Structures are given as C-alpha cells and as structure tokens.
C-alpha cells in the first residue's frame, strides 16, 4: 500500500477507541455538499455521479469543508446508492427531488442484479480515497462509508426516497425469505466494499442505516441487526487476513432508538444518534455499554441565531457529557444553511474544556 502522510489530528480515532482527546472532536454529516458555494459552482459543470466517479473531483469536494473549517474528520465524497448502481440498477440524481431508480427491484428483475465484479466496478471510490489521503496531508482522518443493507434495499424496492417505505416494508412482511436473501447478498457486497475502502486508505468507516426509522424493534431485530453485526464481524476478519489495521466503525441507524442497547452489542465502536433523541436518555439507555456516541444536534438548529446555536450546542454537550463523545449533527446538514453558522458550531465545540 502507498505510504500516506502522517496523521496529525487523531481526536476522532482516539475517542472511538475510548481514549481521552485534547478537545472534543466534531464533523458534520453531508459536510461536503450544497450549502457550500464552492460545491455548487463545481456542481454546475458536472452531474452528481460524474463527481462521485471522478477521483480528482471527488477528492476536491471532500477537501472543500476541510479547507474552510477546523473539522476533525473528512468523509469521502460519494453516495450510498453507488452500490445499487454497481449492481446494474439505473440511479439518477434529480435536482430538487433526490435519487430516482426508474426501474425498481421486482421479482422479475432480481435475477438481473450483477453481484459479480461489483467491487471492481466500485474501484473508483478506492481511487478517490487514496488520492484524498495524500491530498489531506495527514490533517484529519478520512471516513469511508456505505449504506446498510436495509437502507439500500429500501431505495432499490421503492425506486427512490419514500417517507413510509411501505413498498419495501410490504416485502419484509409478505416475502421475508426473498428479503433475507437480498439482505445477505448486500451484506457480502458491503463487507468487501468496506474492506476495499480501508485498503485504499479509509481510516474509519460509517454505516448509514437512514431508513431504520420506519421499522420497529421486532423488524429491526429480525431483518437488520444480524446483518449489521455480520458486516462488523466480517470486516474485522478480512482486515486481519489482509494485514490491515483494525479501523473503528460507526453505526448510524437513524431513528432506531427503539433498539439502542442492542446496537451497542454489535461490535461497533461508535453509535450515531439522530436528532430526535434526548442525549440524557441516550446515556441512560447505553449505561455500562462499551461504546462512544456521536451526534445529534438538530440540523435545523443551524438556522437559529448564532447566540442560540451556541446555546443549543453547549446544552447538547452538557447533556451528553464529554466522555466518549464525538460531536455531529443528528442528520445531514441542509443545503440552505449559512456556511458561517458552521464556524460557530465547530468553534463552540472546540472551546469546551474536557
Ligand atoms: C440516504 C442517503 C443517501 N446518501 C447518503 C445517505 C445516508 C445519509 C442520510 O441519511 O442522509 C450518504 C451521503 N451522500 C453524500 C455523502 C457524501 C459525504 C458527506 O459529505 O457526508 C454521504 C455520506 C453526498 C450527497 N448525496 C446527495 C447530494 C446532493 C446531490 C446533488 O448535488 O444534487 C450529496 C452532496 C444526494 C442524495 N443521496 C441520497 C439522497 C436521499 C439524496 C438527496 C437528498 C439531498 O439532496 O440531500 C441517498
């Protein structure tokens, strides 16, 4: 593997491992995105997936928030939907709408999915990661990421975003065996995809299960937890086989507070917490568990006045406490947030004494 510049800021990695940092680490979900004018100006000339697939462009976008802010991590510019795309599904990113898969999964076309060679077709993500590791010059660690099996299956069955995911949930209730087979297939791909990202230079990994919020404890226990655990276990085994470093992993199961203690037993070092949960309740639910928490400021709090934003941020940190805590929003930042608000948020976090 290529020799990368030495890491200068390892706050996030330390806190993920349960060690005490000099300052609270902070990063922002969707930190490289449309709220940044420099992103919008680049985006005018390129389609979304063209930006994902071109390592130079993906690297440039990944570095945009790092150049502007004192963030404690970078996250590779990509999308969770590159997996369905590499499986042969058409994925379009429609401005103002979001992702659209014009030919969603049906019983008739399941056999058309092409798992063979899928990692090869995702090699561009690895190339973007390797390039970014060099260009980061060791400033901060680089996150790799993936969607969790359920969230990917949801988009594949629904053909795009959905508030209720009633079509995908119908599959869970009506065709559980088919769903298990698909979840298993996605799990195998996700494992190899994450290992490939570490091989390329990712120093920490996040699994996004953004659609966990439409399930309940029973469904999540049956259809999601076993696969999410399998991902963690198999990534560890494969990293060891390849003599690669054991990188920490974050599970962000959005809206799955109905099973937080169960999430803490899957082997992930960090649990991402969405903005709907009270930090004190989170700590209570996770008492005695060996995990770090990450989150969870309401992304809309960045619309508040600077004074109030600072107040909300301090209160959140007070309520979580500074132990084993990575500061983040409780979901991705919105495109119409004023970029200056992000300075106040980060500065407020870094000013907290720990
Ligand atoms: C569900 C999901 C997706 N993608 C992702 C998730 C999980 C996190 C979450 O719940 O938000 C993850 C994601 N998407 C993107 C990143 C890049 C890294 C980062 O800065 O965090 C990451 C980590 C870029 C993106 N992904 C997308 C954009 C905007 C697309 C554009 O420029 O047109 C970016 C910068 C598009 C996207 N991609 C997806 C949706 C629903 C959308 C549309 C919503 C939106 O527009 O914000 C699927």
């Amino acid at each position: 593997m290529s020799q990368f510049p030495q890491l200068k800021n390892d706050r996030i990695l330390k806190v993920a491992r349960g060690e005490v940092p000099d300052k609270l680490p902070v990063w922002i979900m969707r930190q490289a995105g449309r709220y940044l004018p420099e992103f919008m100006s680049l985006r005018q000339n390129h389609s979304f997936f063209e930006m994902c697939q071109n390592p130079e462009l993906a690297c440039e976008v990944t570095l945009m928030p790092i150049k502007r802010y004192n963030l404690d991590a970078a996250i590779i510019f990509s999308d969770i939907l590159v997996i369905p795309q590499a499986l042969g599904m058409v994925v379009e990113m429609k401005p103002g709408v979001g992702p659209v898969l014009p030919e969603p999964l049906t019983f008739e076309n399941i056999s058309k999915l092409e798992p063979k060679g899928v990692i090869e077709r995702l090699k561009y993500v690895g190339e973007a990661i390797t390039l970014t590791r060099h260009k980061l010059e060791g400033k901060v660690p680089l996150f790799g990421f993936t969607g969790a099996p359920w969230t990917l299956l949801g988009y594949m069955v629904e053909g795009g975003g959905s508030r209720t995911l009633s079509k995908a949930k119908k599959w869970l209730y009506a065709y559980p065996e088919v769903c298990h087979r698909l979840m298993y297939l996605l799990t195998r791909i996700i494992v190899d995809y994450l290992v490939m990202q570490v091989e390329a230079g990712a120093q920490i990994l996040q699994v996004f299960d953004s659609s966990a919020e439409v399930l309940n404890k029973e469904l999540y226990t049956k259809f999601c937890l076993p696969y999410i655990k399998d991902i963690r276990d198999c990534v560890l085994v494969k990293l060891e086989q390849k003599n690669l470093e054991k990188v920490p992993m974050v599970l962000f199961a959005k809206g799955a507070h109905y099973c937080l203690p169960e999430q803490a037993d899957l082997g992930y070092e960090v649990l991402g917490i969405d903005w709907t949960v009270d930090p004190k309740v989170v700590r209570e639910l996770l008492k005695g568990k060996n995990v770090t928490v990450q989150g969870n400021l309401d992304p809309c709090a960045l619309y508040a006045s600077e004074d109030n934003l600072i107040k909300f941020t301090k209160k959140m940190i007070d309520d979580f406490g500074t132990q084993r805590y990575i500061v983040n929003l409780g979901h991705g930042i919105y495109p119409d947030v004023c970029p200056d608000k992000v300075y106040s948020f980060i500065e407020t976090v870094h000013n907290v004494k720990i």
Side-chain angles (χ1 to χ4, degrees):
M1 207 206 301
S2 42
Q3 202 57 48
F4 293 122
Q6 200 188 341
L7 186 62
K8 296 168 197 142
N9 172 349
D10 65 348
R11 275 176 202 148
I12 282 217
L13 303 182
K14 270 191 159 154
V15 176
R17 292 190 297 251
E19 295 163 24
V20 180
D22 59 332
K23 286 180 181 182
L24 280 181
V26 55
W27 70 283
I28 292 175
M29 287 190 276
R30 293 283 176 93
Q31 63 190 25
R34 290 165 301 176
Y35 70 106
L36 292 176
E38 56 271 35
F39 173 85
M40 287 315 288
S41 104
L42 193 64
R43 177 78 172 79
Q44 295 217 309
N45 305 317
H46 306 278
S47 78
F48 177 72
F49 285 112
E50 187 186 336
M51 287 168 81
C52 294
Q53 286 160 9
N54 178 321
E56 277 79 26
L57 291 177
C59 171
E60 185 179 344
V61 177
T62 304
L63 295 178
M64 282 173 178
I66 305 303
K67 287 181 176 151
R68 235 180 212 266
Y69 306 113
N70 255 325
L71 289 156
D72 294 304
I75 178 161
I76 193 65
F77 181 78
S78 184
D79 199 83
I80 61 165
L81 298 174
V82 297
I83 288 184
Q85 199 173 51
L87 280 167
M89 296 186 77
V90 176
V91 185
E92 295 159 2
M93 200 54 80
K94 296 231 161 117
V97 180
V100 176
L101 294 79
E103 294 157 57
L105 213 57
T106 60
F107 276 20
E108 287 71 44
N109 67 17
I110 283 183
S111 59
K112 291 207 186 127
L113 293 175
E114 301 167 62
K116 206 161 163 250
V118 74
I119 302 303
E120 204 44 47
R121 291 191 289 280
L122 289 166
K123 269 275 144 61
Y124 64 86
V125 177
E127 287 163 22
I129 287 174
T130 304
L131 180 63
T132 306
R133 269 298 294 277
H134 286 290
K135 291 268 175 80
L136 264 172
E137 296 171 343
K139 255 192 205 144
V140 290
L142 179 61
F143 267 91
F145 71 89
T146 181
W150 162 243
T151 294
L152 295 182
L153 186 65
Y155 277 98
M156 289 160 74
V157 171
E158 298 279 343
S162 158
R163 202 173 50 79
T164 58
L165 279 109
S166 53
K167 252 169 112 183
K169 284 181 72 179
K170 175 180 171 181
W171 279 41
L172 294 184
Y173 280 107
Y175 322 116
E177 286 82 23
V178 177
C179 289
H180 276 299
R181 264 203 289 126
L182 286 164
M183 298 288 277
Y184 181 81
L185 173 82
L186 289 167
T187 298
R188 303 277 67 80
I189 294 167
I190 287 166
V191 167
D192 288 342
Y193 181 47
L194 290 176
V195 171
M196 180 270 272
Q197 292 185 51
V198 175
E199 217 163 357
Q203 291 153 296
I204 177 165
L205 300 168
Q206 178 153 321
V207 176
F208 287 93
D209 209 354
S210 306
S211 303
E213 62 192 353
V214 300
L215 301 184
N216 57 25
K217 190 167 175 179
E218 194 183 335
L219 289 172
Y220 206 72
T221 303
K222 204 186 278 174
F223 288 101
C224 303
L225 290 177
Y227 298 102
I228 293 173
K229 179 172 187 325
D230 199 21
I231 290 170
R232 178 56 182 154
D233 291 346
C234 293
V235 165
L236 273 194
V237 169
K238 292 207 172 185
L239 290 181
E240 200 175 333
Q241 282 169 354
K242 287 178 176 259
N243 250 327
L244 292 164
E245 203 184 331
K246 170 186 169 182
V247 300
M249 286 178 68
V250 184
L251 170 63
F252 177 58
K254 182 170 180 280
H257 27 79
Y258 48 76
C259 68
L260 258 185
E262 288 76 11
Q263 290 177 50
D265 295 332
L266 303 176
Y268 289 74
E269 285 79 358
V270 185
L271 295 184
I273 310 293
D274 73 78
W275 59 271
T276 63
V277 206
D278 181 335
K280 287 183 180 159
V281 173
V282 171
R283 287 300 196 187
E284 195 53 43
L285 285 169
L286 295 177
K287 222 175 210 162
K289 302 283 189 186
N290 181 24
V291 283
T292 295
V293 295
Q294 171 180 286
N296 78 342
L297 192 74
D298 184 345
C300 290
L302 291 164
Y303 296 129
S305 67
E306 193 181 351
D307 284 354
N308 281 333
L309 170 62
I310 292 171
K311 234 190 283 172
F312 295 139
T313 306
K314 284 182 173 164
K315 164 123 185 22
M316 169 183 69
I317 296 170
D318 259 2
D319 288 350
F320 270 117
T322 57
Q323 300 282 305
R324 296 204 73 162
Y325 180 38
I326 297 167
V327 182
N328 202 318
L329 303 181
H331 198 198
I333 187 169
Y334 290 116
D336 60 342
V337 159
C338 168
D340 285 346
K341 288 286 176 50
V342 175
Y343 290 108
S344 319
F345 175 57
I346 295 171
E347 205 188 334
T348 305
V349 174
H350 283 158
N351 282 338
V352 172
K353 295 260 181 305
I354 55 173

